[in-house]
Amino acid sequence: MGYQNLKFPENSVFLVTGGAGFIGSNLCEAILNLGYKVRCLDDLSTGKQENVDLFIDNPNYTFIKGDIKDLDTCMKACEGVDYVLNQAAWGSVPRSIEMPLFYCANNIAGTLNMLEAARQNNVKKFVYASSSSVYGDEPNLPKKEGREGNLLSPYAVSKRADEEWAKQYTRHYGLDTYGLRYFNVFGRRQDPNGAYAAVIPKFIRQLLNGETPTINGDGKQSRDFTYIENVIEANLKACLADSSAAGQAYNVAYGGREYLIDIYYGLTKALGVDKEPNFGPDRAGDIKHSNADISKAKANLGYDPDWSFDKGIKAAIEWYKDNL
């Protein structure tokens, strides 16, 4: 259970791309707490300087301001690195529909640069962020690897392309790659601001500020909301996985299913707010229901998440109360 007792070789060096972002900064923090060296690569386009400043005084932490779209930057960042945790990407399905060329350049070509840099620098393990969006319109629940549908957004295309490129690097170059299909991650340091903010922090911020949140659609869509601690566990356990598990993608979730309208009323209750939501149109490219089968990650990576949605949402609410 968890990751706090995981052991890596002494003086191991981890490169976290997108390390100034929500998931990346939490990975940096966890690795530093385990006593290993962390290199953070981020261009601060969506990541935050404050997430760098948290660790900048730690002698095991190095920040590189740079862009994964530049191969030379990736090559330098990978020098002497044992494990790459590639989180650098732009998220948001709606934004990807508005900016398809950028998503191709950043999420696909940028990841390919990182794969090539990792290969040339003899990195041991390359773990990268994929997404539940790769399941597209496949209607069956739970979502199971190998049973994908038609992709519904440029963002989903970018993540599926990353998986295919990673397979090639395992097949032809012997680079151990592990794709992690994140299901609606939430938790501390997730940005509650902006048009493309994730729903949980956005609702919490709005309710704390006395605003009325808008739910896209009827609120009856469901998601396998996954607390950040489970995602950290999956990344670190993938770094210790057997090579026979490489070249594949894995669902990373708790394996639950929460309805948006239930989450909304749960938040109003927890925050002591009596406010009905507004309802807006469905978002283009969104999947209606999402719930993960995590048996493959359990079998191949030893993934055993112990943060349920209820446990995670309590922790998240407390963090936002203290930090908003």
Side-chain angles (χ1 to χ4, degrees):
M1 301 283 272
Y3 57 85
Q4 285 78 8
N5 297 318
L6 296 180
K7 294 281 189 284
F8 294 88
E10 199 175 345
N11 298 318
S12 287
V13 179
F14 290 78
L15 170 63
V16 181
T17 72
F22 157 48
I23 294 175
S25 66
N26 276 287
L27 286 168
C28 290
E29 182 177 41
I31 296 161
L32 290 169
N33 287 341
L34 290 173
Y36 302 106
K37 292 185 173 66
V38 174
R39 212 173 280 172
C40 166
L41 173 63
D42 203 301
D43 67 356
L44 300 179
S45 61
T46 58
K48 294 186 169 181
Q49 182 67 45
E50 65 203 57
N51 290 341
V52 173
D53 295 341
L54 287 168
F55 316 116
I56 205 71
D57 294 330
N58 189 317
N60 282 339
Y61 180 83
T62 306
F63 174 62
I64 303 166
K65 187 175 181 185
D67 191 337
I68 60 168
K69 294 195 293 296
D70 182 69
L71 180 59
D72 287 344
T73 298
C74 299
M75 291 291 290
K76 290 189 183 83
C78 282
E79 285 175 8
V81 165
D82 298 295
Y83 309 97
V84 170
L85 304 179
N86 188 57
Q87 314 297 312
W90 274 38
S92 172
V93 163
R95 185 166 56 188
S96 77
I97 294 171
E98 295 169 13
M99 303 171 64
L101 294 179
F102 182 83
Y103 274 72
C104 180
N106 194 74
N107 291 11
I108 301 176
T111 296
L112 186 53
N113 282 340
M114 284 304 309
L115 285 162
E116 180 62 16
R119 173 178 84 90
Q120 292 199 32
N121 283 282
N122 298 309
V123 165
K124 292 176 187 171
K125 302 283 184 184
F126 187 96
V127 183
Y128 62 96
S130 185
S131 164
S132 59
S133 66
V134 301
Y135 288 105
D137 64 0
E138 208 290 315
N140 293 296
L141 294 178
K143 305 294 184 186
K144 193 168 177 61
E145 300 91 343
R147 199 173 64 199
E148 295 84 20
N150 295 304
L151 301 172
L152 300 177
S153 68
Y155 174 72
V157 170
S158 76
K159 289 302 184 180
R160 192 60 207 263
D162 290 346
E163 293 184 2
E164 293 301 324
W165 274 114
K167 280 184 200 170
Q168 298 301 318
Y169 270 76
T170 299
R171 174 173 290 158
H172 297 297
Y173 310 118
L175 177 65
D176 279 7
T177 66
Y178 304 83
L180 304 182
R181 293 179 176 174
Y182 299 154
F183 280 70
N184 296 88
V185 187
F186 72 98
R188 59 187 176 271
R189 294 204 286 276
Q190 189 174 30
D191 190 356
N193 297 305
Y196 303 109
V199 66
I200 287 177
K202 191 173 189 175
F203 282 0
I204 293 173
R205 177 185 65 80
Q206 290 172 326
L207 290 169
L208 286 173
N209 290 345
E211 300 167 25
T212 303
T214 296
I215 294 175
N216 295 107
D218 59 10
K220 293 177 182 167
Q221 58 269 56
S222 62
R223 296 287 183 268
D224 197 332
F225 284 100
T226 308
Y227 190 59
I228 183 63
E229 289 291 305
N230 298 333
V231 170
I232 296 169
E233 177 195 339
N235 274 271
L236 295 179
K237 285 186 172 174
C239 290
L240 295 171
D242 192 82
S243 291
S244 63
Q248 301 179 63
Y250 297 90
N251 290 341
V252 172
Y254 185 69
R257 190 175 172 197
E258 311 296 328
Y259 290 85
L260 213 50
I261 194 71
D262 294 340
I263 289 173
Y264 176 82
Y265 287 121
L267 290 174
T268 61
K269 186 177 178 184
L271 296 169
V273 176
D274 184 13
K275 191 182 283 287
E276 290 299 311
N278 293 325
F279 291 92
D282 287 316
R283 289 198 323 182
D286 263 4
I287 296 166
K288 183 73 175 175
H289 297 292
S290 186
N291 164 239
D293 179 330
I294 56 173
S295 57
K296 183 180 172 187
K298 283 186 171 183
N300 290 9
L301 307 180
Y303 175 62
D304 189 16
D306 55 2
W307 282 78
S308 67
F309 174 76
D310 288 340
K311 183 178 173 186
I313 197 70
K314 284 178 184 145
I317 289 168
E318 289 310 307
W319 188 88
Y320 283 108
K321 277 182 177 174
D322 293 340
N323 290 276
L324 280 181

